[in-house]
Amino acid sequence: MLGLTLFACAAITNAYSWPSPQLDALESARFDQFGHNSHGIASFIEPCNLFLFGPNSTGRANVADWIRTVYHDMATHNATDGTGGMDASIRFAEEQARTEDAGNGFGHTIATLFTQSSRYISIADVLALGAVIAIENCGGPEIAFRGGRVDAVASNNPGVPEPQQDLESHIASFARQGFSQVEMIGLVACGHTFGGVQHTFFPDIVPELNDPYSTEDVAHFDSTFVTFDNNIATEYICGTTTNPLVVGFNDTTNSDKRIFESDGNVTMLSFANSPGLFASTCADLFARMLNTVPAGVKLTEIIRPLLVKPFNVQLILSGNTLKFSGEVRFWDTTEDPTRTVRLLWEDHVGRIHNGTLGFSGVSTSTAGRYSAAWYSFNTNEQNPFLSIDAAAGIKSIRFTVNGKLEDQGGIGFAVQDGVVFSKTSCTASADADADPGHFDVAVRNGVHPTRVYLEQKSLDSVQRPIIIEIDIAPPVKPPPANAVYSIWRLPLNGSVLNAFLPYTIGAEIDGVKYSTNDEHMVIDFPPCKG
Ligand code: HEM
Ligand SMILES: *[C@@H]1O[C@H](CO)[C@@H](O)[C@H](O)[C@H]1NC(C)=O
Ligand SMILES: *[C@@H]1O[C@H](CO)[C@@H](O)[C@H](O)[C@H]1NC(C)=O
Ligand SMILES: *[C@@H]1O[C@H](CO)[C@@H](O)[C@H](O)[C@H]1NC(C)=O
Ligand SMILES: *[C@@H]1O[C@H](CO)[C@@H](O)[C@H](O)[C@H]1NC(C)=O
Ligand SMILES: *[C@@H]1O[C@H](CO)[C@@H](O)[C@H](O)[C@H]1NC(C)=O
Ligand SMILES: *[C@@H]1O[C@H](CO)[C@@H](O)[C@H](O)[C@H]1NC(C)=O
């Protein structure tokens, strides 16, 4: 009885409630991989032999670079003093210039994945996600992914193992990183199921190959170098391996050989005998590698898919109506023309309204193991937005699927209509003296923000994604927009706004920060009317 209760409690604790901007963003990046509203990471490994920095005949692959990058980022960790670990310090040129970080895969990986980082997803989180998505989509097991890594501001201490070092120093190095000898065998085998060693950077290990399918002279660790499988172990045990760190002509650099046989081949034999054991062991070890972070960093819960997830919900004030748009994703379903999905929205006086949603697309995830069906409550100006009476406003939304209520366990999906973009925003008219233009934010009467500001994406001095906030001075006597909203106005003359950059709106209400999803650019505003 007690056991059952504990189990149920744990299951409830693990779920998060929408909205939660950071968890929502991590969840999308992790699960919306292909198809409708997909996130960019997976597109870089479609197919798994895709190499963005040359043709696939090079023998290189993005997936191999990404997995090696996370290992080298993590391997600086010192479990005793808590320094180093997954913190994207590998992005610094000083760290990449070290002999222990020979190769150009780190630069490639950062250039590709950096674009996917954001205020909610650190660079270290995208590196971790890249590895997870690569492994899962290229034959590997599912990996428990957490977010919340914090990007380093400088290089870490050196500490990545190198092939010419002896077994004792490798055991000591992995122990410092937090892994036992048996775990070292596993982690090296799990990593080296992808990729290989390049002649250019390791000329003493790999000769020129004159191979038209490996024009960058990469000697692969196993015969299936863009696929997660236990061939790294079967080929080793059967004596057919071509792994350059096992059968290299110079025994000094045969580090995989020394590591693999360091327990009398017990671990490698078990991997060769069982693809399932290899996969489950690697899933655990990869998760631990990704979760090896500097002391003090608190990772999020494991990111699991929300079964019903509103997406890109936007409200814009236009006259006496709120233009409402967005989509909803239903996890683990496919398209079904007979399905009826309705949106129910509750206004501020407790009335429930509803409308039918149109099917908008299907997405897939985790090598097609999951799919999701999306429904839209109007997405663009061509399909007119759903118009809501501004006075009544909107408090929360719910859905019904073939009549069954989806309301997040009774709490509904809260929608913030307190601070929204106002269509009265305009740019200087031809008659510039008349009106210099303004960015208008509508604040609902009764909502008392302590701050209203525009948010613009930027990078700090060490390339970390940040948000710059541009405060809008509170109006002395707010001009009403209509009966229920007042305008906070940022004049465009003398303001620092860049007309060509998108802005979101932020507000602090009762000590909590909110951001709108919709981005607005000054160049898109109509001219002010004279
Ligand atoms: C004693 C430990 C290790 C040593 C000495 C070692 C050594 C090497 C070397 C010399 C290369 C060739 C790099 C290049 O030519 O660009 C390589 C590639 C690679 N390593 Fe390791 N490694 C070790 C552990 C690991 C671990 C633990 C992982 C991941 C869990 C890993 C993942 C990879 C991957 C994916 C590649 C292929 C990169 C590519 O093809 O672009 N390695 N390793
Ligand atoms: C390289 O990519 C092309 C196009 O995707 C494909 O037809 C070809 O089989 C690939 N070659 C190798 C060696 O993977
Ligand atoms: C790890 O940290 C401990 C405690 O500060 C220190 O004594 C040890 O030398 C460090 N190890 C390495 C390899 O730097
Ligand atoms: C481990 O297996 C390899 C490949 O079969 C073999 O060459 C080697 O001698 C074995 N090592 C030990 C310690 O059993
Ligand atoms: C083998 O590799 C080691 C370490 O890189 C090097 O010092 C040694 O000269 C190499 N031996 C031969 C015969 O190439
Ligand atoms: C939707 O609205 C219509 C008309 O207001 C109402 O008759 C119907 O019961 C509502 N449906 C739901 C599921 O609330
Ligand atoms: C901006 O325009 C307003 C209204 O035309 C004017 O009152 C104000 O002085 C101008 N501010 C600057 C910095 O030019």
Side-chain angles (χ1 to χ4, degrees):
M1 193 61 204
L2 184 65
L4 265 180
T5 313
L6 283 174
F7 180 79
C9 291
I12 290 165
T13 316
N14 281 331
Y16 79 91
S17 299
W18 187 95
S20 167
Q22 184 198 15
L23 295 177
D24 291 338
L26 287 164
E27 198 260 14
S28 286
R30 183 184 184 340
F31 290 112
D32 299 332
Q33 295 181 1
F34 293 104
H36 195 68
N37 286 330
S38 60
H39 197 264
I41 294 177
S43 66
F44 303 129
I45 53 163
E46 175 72 346
C48 285
N49 69 356
L50 184 66
F51 183 55
L52 289 174
F53 304 88
N56 57 5
S57 53
T58 52
R60 306 281 303 278
N62 292 333
V63 283
D65 285 344
W66 295 2
I67 292 161
R68 181 173 181 240
T69 298
V70 292
Y71 177 61
H72 283 234
D73 194 39
M74 180 284 278
T76 60
H77 185 63
N78 183 333
T80 310
D81 66 9
T83 58
M86 278 291 297
D87 59 5
S89 64
I90 192 73
R91 76 188 186 280
F92 293 112
E94 189 220 313
E95 210 166 297
Q96 287 179 30
R98 295 174 183 162
T99 319
E100 66 182 35
D101 293 318
N104 57 12
F106 309 113
H108 290 163
T109 303
I110 304 290
T112 308
L113 293 180
F114 179 80
T115 57
Q116 307 299 313
S117 62
S118 71
R119 64 197 298 189
Y120 302 123
I121 308 180
S122 66
I123 306 167
D125 279 350
V126 252
L127 295 180
L129 259 177
V132 166
I133 289 175
I135 292 158
E136 289 180 351
N137 281 282
C138 302
E142 286 182 43
I143 296 167
F145 170 75
R146 298 171 189 272
R149 287 165 198 76
V150 176
D151 295 330
V153 296
S155 302
N156 286 331
N157 294 329
V160 185
E162 296 180 61
Q164 77 283 1
Q165 294 161 342
D166 62 14
L167 180 64
E168 289 315 305
S169 53
H170 285 154
I171 293 172
S173 177
F174 276 82
R176 174 189 32 79
Q177 296 159 34
F179 295 89
S180 71
Q181 182 180 347
V182 169
E183 290 165 348
M184 167 182 73
I185 299 169
L187 203 53
V188 173
C190 297
H192 288 177
T193 181
F194 290 97
V197 180
Q198 288 178 82
H199 166 74
T200 312
F201 302 103
F202 297 91
D204 296 335
I205 300 180
V206 177
E208 284 180 30
L209 299 176
N210 298 314
D211 179 347
Y213 296 109
S214 188
T215 57
E216 289 195 8
D217 298 307
V218 188
H220 297 126
F221 295 121
D222 71 13
S223 57
T224 48
F225 74 95
V226 297
T227 308
F228 178 97
D229 57 27
N230 69 340
N231 284 346
I232 182 77
T234 53
E235 292 168 10
Y236 167 76
I237 291 295
C238 296
T240 57
T241 187
T242 55
N243 181 338
L245 301 182
V246 173
V247 294
F249 64 89
N250 184 342
D251 212 38
T252 307
T253 51
N254 281 333
S255 53
D256 278 12
K257 178 179 152 196
R258 286 188 291 274
I259 289 170
F260 290 170
E261 67 176 7
S262 69
D263 68 348
N265 286 333
V266 171
T267 300
M268 290 304 278
L269 192 59
S270 72
F271 290 160
N273 279 327
S274 172
L277 176 73
F278 181 64
S280 61
T281 305
C282 293
D284 286 348
L285 290 173
F286 279 137
R288 276 187 46 205
M289 170 171 78
L290 301 176
N291 295 345
T292 299
V293 291
V297 174
K298 198 175 170 324
L299 298 177
T300 68
E301 66 192 50
I302 293 171
I303 305 296
R304 296 195 170 82
L306 281 192
L307 301 183
V308 178
K309 187 183 188 188
F311 180 76
N312 206 18
V313 169
Q314 306 190 356
L315 279 168
I316 292 173
L317 183 69
S318 177
N320 287 321
T321 60
L322 286 165
K323 307 289 185 187
F324 185 42
S325 64
E327 286 187 78
V328 57
R329 187 197 71 194
F330 296 100
W331 185 252
D332 224 359
T333 52
T334 50
E335 184 175 4
D336 176 359
T338 67
R339 183 188 295 129
T340 302
V341 175
R342 298 177 83 79
L343 168 73
L344 278 59
W345 72 92
E346 185 182 359
D347 65 23
H348 286 282
V349 290
R351 278 177 312 205
I352 313 279
H353 313 258
N354 74 73
T356 304
L357 303 189
F359 170 78
S360 54
V362 168
S363 59
T364 66
S365 180
T366 322
R369 273 169 265 189
Y370 306 103
S371 68
W374 297 74
Y375 288 76
S376 146
F377 27 118
N378 301 315
T379 49
N380 56 41
E381 303 261 6
Q382 284 77 43
N383 307 321
F385 289 87
L386 189 60
S387 292
I388 291 179
D389 171 35
I394 179 166
K395 245 174 85 178
S396 69
I397 55 178
R398 290 168 163 75
F399 304 91
T400 60
V401 180
N402 290 340
K404 181 179 176 286
L405 185 63
E406 295 289 357
D407 63 354
Q408 202 167 209
I411 62 173
F413 300 90
V415 173
Q416 180 285 114
D417 70 355
V419 178
V420 300
F421 177 72
S422 169
K423 279 281 206 186
T424 54
S425 301
C426 60
T427 53
S429 53
D431 178 11
D433 299 339
D435 194 328
H438 37 84
F439 196 125
D440 281 356
V441 176
V443 177
R444 196 172 177 85
N445 299 344
V447 174
H448 299 290
T450 46
R451 283 177 67 211
V452 173
Y453 46 92
L454 301 186
E455 304 172 318
Q456 185 223 315
K457 291 177 200 166
S458 188
L459 301 176
D460 73 4
S461 61
V462 288
Q463 302 298 104
R464 293 178 300 183
I466 52 162
I467 292 293
I468 290 173
E469 297 177 350
I470 299 163
D471 274 275
I472 304 179
V476 183
K477 186 176 179 297
N482 56 30
V484 278
Y485 281 91
S486 301
I487 293 295
W488 289 42
R489 175 162 292 178
L490 185 70
L492 294 180
N493 59 337
S495 95
V496 296
L497 281 199
N498 181 325
F500 299 95
L501 288 177
Y503 289 86
T504 46
I505 296 165
E508 255 181 71
I509 304 166
D510 296 330
V512 180
K513 281 186 164 187
Y514 294 89
S515 297
T516 61
N517 285 312
D518 42 313
E519 298 188 323
H520 299 278
M521 266 196 284
V522 171
I523 49 163
D524 293 338
F525 296 170
C528 304
K529 293 199 181 74

